[in-house]
Amino acid sequence: MHPTRTDRPAPARSDRSGPDRTEPARIEVPLGERAYPVLIGPGVRHRLPAEVARIGARRVVVVSARPAQWTPDPGVPHRVVPARDGEHDKNLATVEQLCRAFAEFGLTRADAVVSCGGGTTTDVVGLAAGLYHRGIAVIHLPTSLLAQVDASVGGKTAVNLPEGKNLVGVYWQPRAVLCDTEHLSTLPERERRNGYGEIARAHFIGAGELRDRPVTEQIAACVALKARVVAADERDAGLRHILNYGHTLGHALERATDFALRHGEAVGVGTVFAGRLAGVLGRIGADRVAEHHDVVAGYGLDTALPAGVDHDELIALMRRDKKATAGLSFVLDGAAGPDLVADVPEPAVRAALARM
């Protein structure tokens, strides 16, 4: 990753085949003095200069995994640093490269960083912004469905280690999030479907039925749910655990397949597994177990374990999950709703895996 000084790029084109321009949905993440808006709709990337002006940033580094025509001008002197979406660049080496690019451009605490890319870019840039000068302002322009419904909101930043996913990170809230739905028209079908893994899991943590809703409403419903949860539990002391529904097995599957299975795809399988495991433990009945399968399948996602994955390896990886403070731990559905269940017996986990 090599920073390059650029002239301001031409304004990104509009996808005229998409929805008509309307006032975007606006959701506030209510964190007191650190509250910030999430804007959702076609063309909201063009509001970046106004958001940069609002926070008073004088100079900006834009870290972009998108082509120049989809990388918006922040309206102030800036440098574009090219990035690459994908788990294999989601590591501490990339964070160091970004921080050095910030330093070379002379960013100070009066300046800002902008991310423009998918969930991995959002995570890495957010972590670099949280570490550089012990924290400078960051604005996220998530360009994938997965990043718009989840990764860009809530202030969790992290990178991977060989031992596991998202094991090194900090909480660092953005100053604004611009979810431009025109970016979704550029996604390959698999990447678009990948985002539905997070929407499917949201069904079981309070978002309700979203399968028949327009994509802008799906994104807004997921963001509103996450904003409420983050406002109540910013640093994962309790309630925020529910946002990891389906993620314990999902993260293990990503590692076990060397990320051949993408995050949303893995979370979809993990959500079906969470239903199976809750059923094995007697927390929910057969109809609710079946609902997990039907919702995930309804979004066009796979519901079974990939061929050839080793159950012993998955269990070993799940034991290293960040939530696993007491044995195998999972967020599971129950009569009172989803909750973090610690010290789940290994035979129950194996039984649920066998049913996948």
Side-chain angles (χ1 to χ4, degrees), residues 267-289:
V267 168
V269 176
T271 296
V272 177
F273 169 78
R276 303 277 191 206
L277 181 56
V280 168
L281 295 174
R283 293 175 57 85
I284 58 175
D287 288 348
R288 184 67 166 172
V289 173

Side-chain angles (χ1 to χ4, degrees), residues 1 60-66 71 79-84 94 98 101-102 113-117 121-122 124-125 128 139 141:
M1 179 178 301
V60 166
V61 168
V62 181
V63 183
S64 180
R66 293 295 176 265
T71 302
R79 174 179 290 185
V80 175
V81 175
R84 182 177 64 171
T94 302
L98 288 175
F102 301 164
V113 177
V114 171
S115 75
C116 183
T121 296
T122 300
V124 175
V125 175
I139 296 173
L141 275 69

Side-chain angles (χ1 to χ4, degrees), residues 248 318-319 321 323-332 340-344:
T248 304
M318 288 190 287
R319 287 190 182 279
D321 186 84
K323 299 181 300 300
T325 56
L328 288 160
S329 300
F330 301 87
V331 179
L332 298 175
L340 180 63
V341 181
D343 209 14
V344 175

Side-chain angles (χ1 to χ4, degrees), residues 252-265:
L253 285 170
E254 288 180 83
R255 296 295 311 185
T257 63
D258 195 24
F259 301 106
L261 202 64
R262 299 185 183 186
H263 179 71
E265 295 169 334

Side-chain angles (χ1 to χ4, degrees), residues 189-273:
E189 179 55 33
R190 184 184 179 190
E191 184 56 42
R192 187 179 179 91
R193 190 169 61 247
N194 182 43
Y196 281 108
E198 293 285 4
I199 297 176
R201 76 87 168 84
H203 179 103
F204 299 99
I205 61 174
E209 181 58 78
L210 299 175
R211 281 175 287 180
D212 59 350
R213 306 265 292 276
V215 68
T216 298
E217 293 183 22
Q218 292 174 328
I219 296 167
C222 291
V223 169
L225 169 64
K226 188 164 188 180
R228 292 194 301 271
V229 172
V230 169
D233 177 21
E234 182 180 2
R235 293 182 172 264
D236 246 350
L239 177 65
R240 189 165 177 168
H241 290 317
I242 69 170
L243 298 175
N244 287 303
Y245 203 90
H247 282 59
T248 304
L249 177 62
H251 286 166
L253 285 170
E254 288 180 83
R255 296 295 311 185
T257 63
D258 195 24
F259 301 106
L261 202 64
R262 299 185 183 186
H263 179 71
E265 295 169 334
V267 168
V269 176
T271 296
V272 177
F273 169 78

Side-chain angles (χ1 to χ4, degrees), residues 272-316:
V272 177
F273 169 78
R276 303 277 191 206
L277 181 56
V280 168
L281 295 174
R283 293 175 57 85
I284 58 175
D287 288 348
R288 184 67 166 172
V289 173
E291 186 178 347
H292 282 71
H293 174 278
D294 294 345
V295 167
V296 173
Y299 283 107
L301 295 159
D302 289 337
T303 59
L305 292 175
V309 295
D310 182 73
H311 292 192
D312 291 337
E313 181 184 7
L314 292 177
I315 289 171

